[in-house]
Amino acid sequence: MLRLWLTTSALLSGATIVLLLGFLIHASWPLLQSQGLAFASGSEWYPYEGLFGLLPALAGSLWAITLALLLAVPAAVAAAVVSAELWPRRGGTPLRFAMELMAGIPSVVYGLVGLWLLLPLLEGGFDLLTGRSLLAAGLLLALMIMPTIMLFTDDALRAVPQERREAALSLGLSWAALLWRVILPEAWPGIRIAILLALGRAMGETVAVMLVVGSIDRLPDPIYDLLQPAQTLTSRIGREMAEAAAGSLHWAALISGGLVLALLSITLSLLAQRRRAG
Amino acid sequence: MSRDLIGKGAIVLLALPALLLPALVLGYIAHKGVAAVSWQFLFDTSQGIGAQLSGSLLLALGACLLAAPLALGTALYHRLLASPRQRRLLDLLLQMLQGIPPIVFGLCGLVVFVHLLQWGVSLASGAVVLAMVILPMLVLNTIAALARIPAEYGEAAQSLGLGHGAVIGRVWLRLAWRPLVTGLLLGTARALSETAPILFTATVFSGVVWPASIFEPVTTLQTHIFYLAQEGSDPRAIQTAWGSALVLIAVVAACGLAARLLRKVGYT
């Protein structure tokens, strides 16, 4: 009995990811068959005319994630330095506790904040007709991933042996040099994991992004114009999945977007795990 | 000394957005939400969010009931029966599963449970999808908890002639129940905060107070906020959304806090 329970559980748990990918491939097969890999580079997405280009959503996701990381990483790493180096009371500082609380806030709440706090601010600040844009998505994502990056960086900084700090200080290094030359390099593997995890979170985030990104399927024109409404991989699925008829080409196209998302996320996750082990 | 002050000041300045913005946002949600929350708001099913709150809890409970025995069984297999090679394979598959974004679980649930198995948009579909979302974290947490028990405990019990079942029940679970419950609480918090996986698989906008069977849809706090947020023309809807957001954060934070307290007490 016991052996049966354990073996069945392990088989089911292990098979989950295989089945999940299998069903995704199966459901997106009609599109892969009719368009091949060309759908990944098509820049036009008009479901009713049979055009299913993935490029606008890919570009949108890439922009939103890049923006979020550029904004969040410096501030979050600095905040972790404050909490681990300047205010390193043993155990959990109040700051760490606050960050854990923030990291637990559901993404739909961030969506509400984005829609009713961030968008009006952007509209006022940039004098826009609508604040829905890649900039809004990037800002919101930055806010969402900051606590995660800070918590993991804080762990990495606290794991740096105290002797390294003392040795560096006894050599007469300034605090800035100690931080830049000793502590950050030593903690870098951990910080890199933090960034990879945050990257995965930002890429897979759906509800918050789809509420503020505008959901218009076109490449930004010019490509660096972040103030226009756009689309990401996740927001496209979230917006259109309910209207696509089950089994149609549109449906298969949306699921193949999900498949691309899954494969990218698995790569990131394995990369982070490998770093952690190595 | 003054050089140090400049460096530290620069770091604090750089950290300010990460330190202040989250606090400001939380404060804003609290400020907006408190105005909406009352006893009637919490428990009434027509004026308040009673139905949504119970729907969220039902889904999370279902997900935990499905995932917990599976996670415990998998972790015990990992510890007791797996060869090193199976162990590596299981680790790899679980890490892959952990990387999957929530929306992809929703897609898969829509394809498999809603359409293929004909469960429809229902409590059952949503609970299974959420169980898949929290499964990897539960298994990895349980594996870690079991690994922290010194090997001698199990060996000593085995040398007394106890079988696997007795070692698990009398030694391991007794030693590791705290971290296991901690993991389950964190899993509940995760299941309560996910929206994307249940948006197409388990929920409708309104009209359900208590599902008649597990093959009926539910309303949840998460999707309630999602729908209300887009009702731009109705200020009352937005106020309800802020109130619901505050309640959702409180419920999730309560799970997190309970987990934290339990972890602090430590082993045995």
Side-chain angles (χ1 to χ4, degrees):
Chain A
M1 264 317 277
L2 182 70
R3 192 170 278 266
L4 182 69
W5 168 41
L6 302 192
T7 314
T8 319
S9 303
L11 278 177
L12 266 176
S13 299
T16 305
I17 178 72
V18 180
L19 290 175
L20 185 137
L21 288 176
F23 278 113
L24 287 181
I25 292 172
H26 176 76
S28 53
W29 194 246
L31 182 90
L32 295 174
Q33 208 171 24
S34 79
Q35 313 217 341
L37 289 175
F39 87 102
S41 60
S43 62
E44 299 199 320
W45 175 272
Y46 296 109
Y48 299 106
E49 292 164 34
L51 289 170
F52 301 106
L54 206 59
L55 205 55
L58 268 177
S61 277
L62 193 66
W63 264 126
I65 297 165
T66 311
L67 201 58
L69 284 181
L70 284 179
L71 292 169
V73 170
V77 170
V81 170
V82 169
S83 115
E85 301 295 320
L86 297 182
W87 195 10
R89 210 148 46 79
R90 276 187 71 91
T93 58
L95 196 59
R96 217 186 129 82
F97 179 64
M99 281 295 165
E100 278 175 17
L101 184 69
M102 292 305 299
I105 291 187
S107 53
V108 69
V109 174
Y110 280 103
L112 184 68
V113 169
L115 207 50
W116 292 98
L117 179 63
L118 179 62
L119 288 188
L121 286 177
L122 280 181
E123 280 155 21
F126 287 90
D127 199 20
L128 295 168
L129 213 53
T130 168
R132 290 167 196 260
S133 57
L134 286 174
L135 179 65
L139 284 169
L140 199 57
L141 283 175
L143 191 63
M144 298 179 72
I145 61 177
M146 268 194 303
T148 313
I149 303 178
M150 195 205 123
L151 284 170
F152 279 90
T153 306
D154 186 76
D155 285 339
L157 291 173
R158 281 173 200 267
V160 175
Q162 196 57 36
E163 301 93 68
R164 301 290 162 80
R165 298 185 178 84
E166 281 155 13
L169 284 179
S170 72
L171 289 175
L173 247 59
S174 70
W175 185 79
L178 166 71
L179 181 69
W180 195 248
R181 303 238 183 98
V182 181
I183 298 175
L184 285 181
E186 184 94 358
W188 173 241
I191 300 175
R192 196 165 46 191
I193 292 172
I195 296 174
L196 284 172
L197 288 175
L199 190 62
R201 167 107 199 256
M203 189 164 70
E205 185 47 56
T206 308
V207 277
V209 170
M210 74 189 260
L211 286 175
V212 301
V213 80
S215 300
I216 290 187
D217 257 292
R218 58 168 181 237
L219 279 172
D221 178 37
I223 194 78
Y224 51 80
D225 186 352
L226 302 179
L227 292 175
Q228 294 169 347
Q231 186 82 291
T232 67
L233 281 172
T234 53
S235 71
R236 172 185 285 164
I237 299 171
R239 275 286 168 226
E240 296 180 15
M241 204 62 220
E243 26 183 282
S248 67
L249 210 55
H250 185 195
W251 160 282
L254 289 171
I255 291 182
S256 46
L259 183 63
V260 171
L261 195 62
L263 294 177
L264 288 172
S265 306
I266 287 175
T267 312
L268 271 181
S269 165
L270 291 183
L271 220 56
Q273 294 297 336
R274 172 137 329 149
R275 299 289 185 207
R276 182 175 288 178
Chain B
M1 216 42 223
S2 68
R3 268 194 325 172
D4 281 5
L5 274 183
I6 294 173
K8 288 178 181 175
I11 284 291
V12 172
L13 214 59
L14 191 62
L16 272 185
L19 298 177
L20 290 183
L21 284 178
L24 286 178
V25 167
L26 200 59
Y28 188 78
I29 299 168
H31 165 71
K32 285 282 190 181
V34 161
V37 177
S38 66
W39 286 115
Q40 194 197 18
F41 178 76
L42 279 180
F43 298 112
D44 197 290
T45 51
S46 59
Q47 304 288 313
I49 53 169
Q52 286 78 18
L53 196 55
S54 62
S56 287
L57 293 174
L58 263 183
L59 270 175
L61 184 72
C64 282
L65 285 180
L66 287 168
L70 207 58
L72 185 60
T74 307
L76 287 172
Y77 182 90
H78 189 274
R79 170 81 189 242
L80 280 175
L81 304 175
S83 66
R85 200 167 153 177
Q86 287 173 327
R87 214 167 276 173
R88 274 201 303 277
L89 180 67
L90 206 51
D91 284 341
L92 177 74
L93 292 173
L94 286 168
Q95 280 159 13
M96 286 167 72
L97 191 63
Q98 200 174 31
I100 297 288
I103 182 81
V104 175
F105 285 104
L107 273 182
C108 186
L110 182 67
V111 171
V112 178
F113 304 112
V114 177
H115 287 287
L116 199 67
L117 296 179
Q118 303 268 309
W119 292 359
V121 173
S122 64
L123 184 58
S125 303
V128 178
V129 171
L130 283 181
M132 284 160 66
V133 174
I134 61 173
L135 183 67
M137 63 179 285
L138 287 185
V139 179
L140 294 171
N141 175 65
T142 311
I143 288 175
L146 292 180
R148 280 198 300 268
I149 299 176
E152 301 92 64
Y153 285 41
E155 286 161 9
Q158 259 169 346
S159 71
L160 291 173
L162 295 179
H164 276 329
V167 173
I168 294 167
R170 297 205 192 148
V171 183
W172 286 357
L173 291 188
R174 210 161 279 187
L175 284 171
W177 71 271
R178 275 179 208 280
L180 296 192
V181 176
T182 304
L184 207 53
L185 280 166
L186 292 176
T188 312
R190 176 86 196 272
L192 281 169
S193 44
E194 289 294 352
T195 309
I198 55 174
L199 199 54
F200 321 115
T201 56
T203 64
V204 288
F205 174 48
S206 65
V208 181
V209 174
W210 187 259
S213 81
I214 60 166
F215 296 109
E216 297 280 320
V218 289
T219 54
T220 68
L221 217 44
Q222 300 96 298
T223 47
H224 197 52
I225 298 170
F226 177 74
Y227 292 124
L228 288 180
Q230 300 172 80
E231 304 259 317
S233 53
D234 182 359
R236 274 196 42 222
I238 304 305
Q239 198 185 18
T240 308
W242 287 114
S244 308
L246 189 58
V247 173
L248 186 60
I249 291 175
V251 176
V252 172
C255 289
L257 204 63
R260 197 185 161 81
L261 287 176
L262 208 59
R263 188 166 40 192
K264 211 167 237 173
V265 182
Y267 263 97
T268 59

